[in-house]
Amino acid sequence: MAWLKRRGEKLYIAFMEPGRKHPRLLTTGLDVSQRAEAEELLREWERGRREAGKAVHAPTTLTLQAWGEKWIAGRKARGVLDWVHEESHLRHHVYPLIGARPLGEITKGELLDWVRSLAARMSRETGRPLAPKYVKRIQATMKMLFKEAVKRDLVPVTPCVWDATDLPRGEDLDAARALEGGFSAEQVGWIIGDPRIPADRRMLYALELLTGMRTGEAAIRRWKDWTPDFHGGLGRLVVATAWCGRSRSLMETRTASLLSIAA
């Protein structure tokens, strides 16, 4: 027994399976205004199911890889610069494992096993297990991929239900690395004060080391951003833009930062 079920403005084929409390849903790819076509598709689906003696997929079944490629193309067209990294995450760590699976049939348990296995996967560059930070970026890409699928009614709910306990811990390693890096006060004084270093470089280093600005934020600063007599002997440097090397364009920061620096 199967029927058409409405979710938002989309129609799905709903049917019960032994051992399940709730019906399975397969997308028809049709809107509620196309009910006649959806009913014809339902009849074809039921006829194929009877002939095969088992459930078959709707003709419009979309695989995870096909949806991922479409999602990446959309982000690239909208100018989302992270599409380069997201495509790499999917190509190397998702498609080879579960890319051929129908999008609507991927379960929570299946993705839970996938995300927990990332910590044991080897990096192609180093031959060592993937770094915890990189694992977190990969799983974030998968969450965004399914969030968009839910928005477009390709799946009723997202199967990405893991939490921080399912991801590798990297805080201790990150803290140890932080202790190994950085500059001492003497080194900072030399970098920004040694006349052998070109003046423009020393100015850039001073902006980065004394204010905490990123390179893209410091490199695009102009005198118009500086107010020398802002308050009580302090100046103010307004950091509301940053230079993006990948797009070679000026972009806004996530939040405009106000940095007060002693005059």
Side-chain angles (χ1 to χ4, degrees):
M1 178 64 182
W3 67 95
L4 291 177
K5 184 176 180 64
R6 175 175 176 172
R7 282 290 184 92
E9 295 301 315
K10 297 291 184 178
L11 291 172
Y12 292 80
I13 295 176
F15 62 98
M16 297 300 299
E17 286 186 337
R20 291 179 61 94
K21 294 182 179 180
H22 304 287
R24 288 282 302 276
L25 298 180
L26 294 177
T27 180
T28 64
L30 301 173
D31 299 331
V32 292
S33 61
Q34 301 172 290
R35 190 172 187 86
E37 293 92 330
E39 289 176 347
E40 177 62 28
L41 184 63
L42 173 61
R43 287 192 288 270
E44 292 180 5
W45 182 86
E46 288 182 314
R47 183 163 51 251
R49 188 181 185 187
R50 288 193 298 269
E51 292 173 357
K54 61 180 181 180
V56 297
H57 306 308
T60 54
T61 292
L62 188 67
T63 65
L64 176 59
Q65 181 168 349
W67 166 238
E69 291 171 349
K70 183 177 180 180
W71 178 69
I72 289 294
R75 289 176 71 77
K76 182 179 180 181
R78 298 202 318 273
V80 180
L81 298 179
D82 282 341
W83 74 266
V84 176
H85 305 298
E86 294 160 352
E87 183 183 45
S88 177
H89 299 162
L90 296 174
R91 185 172 66 251
H92 296 298
H93 304 291
V94 177
Y95 296 159
L97 301 174
I98 52 177
R101 296 276 289 118
L103 185 69
E105 293 192 2
I106 296 177
T107 65
K108 297 174 183 177
E110 191 172 0
L111 285 193
L112 184 61
D113 291 338
W114 166 79
V115 78
R116 286 177 175 174
S117 72
L118 290 176
R121 289 182 63 82
M122 297 298 172
S123 168
R124 295 177 299 111
E125 289 79 9
T126 65
R128 294 181 295 181
L130 298 177
K133 280 189 176 180
Y134 191 58
V135 169
K136 291 177 181 178
R137 290 170 187 160
I138 297 171
Q139 63 87 30
T141 295
M142 184 67 98
K143 282 190 173 182
M144 289 190 293
L145 176 72
F146 271 98
K147 185 175 182 179
E148 180 76 7
V150 172
K151 288 181 179 179
R152 295 184 177 278
D153 291 313
L154 298 177
V155 294
V157 295
T158 176
C160 303
V161 296
W162 57 81
D163 54 38
T165 62
D166 300 306
L167 303 176
R169 294 183 58 185
E171 294 80 2
D172 296 338
L173 180 59
D174 293 339
R177 287 176 175 171
L179 293 175
E180 297 174 359
F183 297 103
S184 66
E186 291 77 9
Q187 289 172 326
V188 170
W190 175 77
I191 290 172
I192 66 178
D194 194 314
R196 292 174 296 179
I197 300 175
D200 59 335
R201 302 298 178 87
R202 283 187 280 141
M203 176 60 73
L204 177 64
Y205 300 152
L207 289 173
E208 293 175 323
L209 295 171
L210 300 181
T211 69
M213 279 189 282
R214 298 177 175 88
T215 299
E217 296 169 343
I220 203 62
R221 298 281 57 80
R222 299 292 183 264
W223 282 113
K224 65 180 181 179
D225 301 325
W226 171 250
T227 304
D229 55 350
F230 175 65
H231 177 71
L234 292 178
R236 183 178 73 166
L237 184 62
V238 178
V239 183
T241 55
W243 178 257
C244 178
R246 278 185 290 172
S247 65
R248 302 190 66 79
S249 62
L250 190 64
M251 304 180 66
E252 292 185 353
T253 57
R254 292 183 180 179
T255 57
S257 303
L258 301 180
L259 302 178
S260 295
I261 305 173

